[in-house]
Amino acid sequence: QRLIDDLLEVSGISLGRLVLYREPVELNTMLCSVARWAAPMATRHRLVVNAPEAVTVSADPTRLRQAVRRLVDNAIRYSPRGGVVEVAVATSHDDVVISVRDRGIGIPADQQNRIFELFFRAHAGTPHDVGGLGLGLFMAREITVRHGGAMWFESEEGRGSTFYMRLPRGEVP
């Protein structure tokens, strides 16, 4: 069922049918709920949320949570030895940046330019292949972009990755 739901989501995003229902989203609360959701999958990991209280953005809470879950899920899956997965928030006058950092296997340099492509999996066919369809990062980036933001990453093979999600602070109704 999850596969079918994901493919329907991708289809809707690709056709420009992603509808956002914006409301105030307090990030510390939302990120802590993502950490609780991920905890059963992260038995070898320590999930850390570093977010100031009272940082609110105008966003679709379901979609924003979905995007952050994709990033946290990848951080756990591609950190097979465990370790810390850190979710953090940095603020400026105009923007909020959510980051998800792991100290896992990283992304090979020759694969990095394709990482947000639909159906692309950087570790397909390698010993680090954890399965999947290559939808998560595509969906996370598209959700971020539709909120008026941007997504990028830093990664070094064998040392881990950090994914960044910049969102405009915008007007909170």
Side-chain angles (χ1 to χ4, degrees):
Q1 184 61 48
R2 180 178 172 196
L3 173 62
I4 292 169
D5 291 344
D6 284 350
L7 290 172
L8 288 171
E9 290 274 342
V10 166
S11 176
I13 289 170
S14 298
L15 294 171
R17 294 185 182 149
L18 179 67
V19 178
L20 300 177
Y21 299 99
R22 293 178 184 262
E23 62 183 69
V25 178
E26 200 285 307
L27 292 179
N28 187 37
T29 301
M30 190 269 297
L31 296 174
C32 286
S33 82
V34 170
R36 284 190 301 277
W37 166 84
M41 299 179 293
T43 57
R44 301 179 70 186
H45 301 79
R46 187 166 62 96
L47 299 172
V48 176
V49 176
N50 291 318
E53 296 180 35
V55 174
T56 303
V57 295
S58 177
D60 183 315
T62 301
R63 299 298 184 180
L64 184 57
R65 187 176 304 106
Q66 179 184 21
V68 174
R69 280 182 173 186
R70 299 285 182 164
L71 299 179
V72 170
D73 181 54
N74 272 6
I76 293 166
R77 291 171 55 181
Y78 291 104
S79 300
R81 288 186 220 93
V84 176
V85 172
E86 179 184 10
V87 182
V89 174
T91 62
S92 72
H93 178 69
D94 298 323
D95 301 314
V96 173
V97 176
I98 300 169
S99 61
V100 178
R101 179 179 183 204
D102 68 67
R103 290 161 187 86
I105 62 175
I107 302 164
D110 65 337
Q111 305 290 315
Q112 290 184 7
N113 64 334
R114 299 185 61 204
I115 203 67
F116 293 114
E117 287 180 17
L118 182 58
F119 302 120
F120 180 75
R121 295 176 29 231
H123 297 285
T126 73
H128 301 297
D129 190 348
V130 295
L133 290 178
L135 303 176
L137 292 176
F138 170 82
M139 290 174 65
R141 186 193 60 172
E142 287 299 314
I143 290 167
T144 303
V145 168
R146 306 294 166 111
H147 276 89
M151 184 174 284
W152 69 97
F153 68 97
E154 298 170 348
S155 185
E156 186 177 340
E157 195 168 5
R159 301 188 69 111
S161 302
T162 305
F163 281 81
Y164 300 93
M165 170 187 245
R166 183 191 54 76
L167 299 168
R169 295 210 70 176
E171 293 289 323
V172 176

